Amino acid sequence: MSTIDERVKKIIIRELGVEEEINNRTLLDGHLVTDEVASVKLFVALEDEFEISLPEFAEFATVQDGINHITWQCR
């Protein structure tokens, strides 16, 4: 099974149509996620994948912020 880190990155790439390589320091807000629709689409996919409920998007500035929160909720 893939790690949380790998799964989050795969979902970001799939849901946002990212063609560039992303890493844990990649900015989400304003860089990968450019509008509210993209934000909602990403959050729904992450919530479905990990069976969790995520807080407002503004709390995740980077990919690592999202990974940290998901890891914490999946304990």
Side-chain angles (χ1 to χ4, degrees), residues 14-63:
R14 182 186 71 224
E15 295 299 324
L16 301 180
V18 175
E19 295 181 11
E20 63 192 79
E21 188 170 325
I22 62 171
N23 61 53
N24 293 19
R25 294 179 309 219
T26 301
L27 296 175
L28 290 173
D29 197 16
H31 181 73
L32 295 181
V33 178
T34 56
D35 62 29
E36 189 67 25
V37 173
S39 175
V40 170
K41 185 177 176 181
L42 176 59
F43 266 50
V44 168
L46 290 169
E47 288 175 331
D48 289 348
E49 173 73 18
F50 295 101
E51 298 178 355
I52 59 172
S53 180
L54 295 171
E56 292 297 314
F57 182 74
E59 295 184 28
F60 301 142
T62 66
V63 172

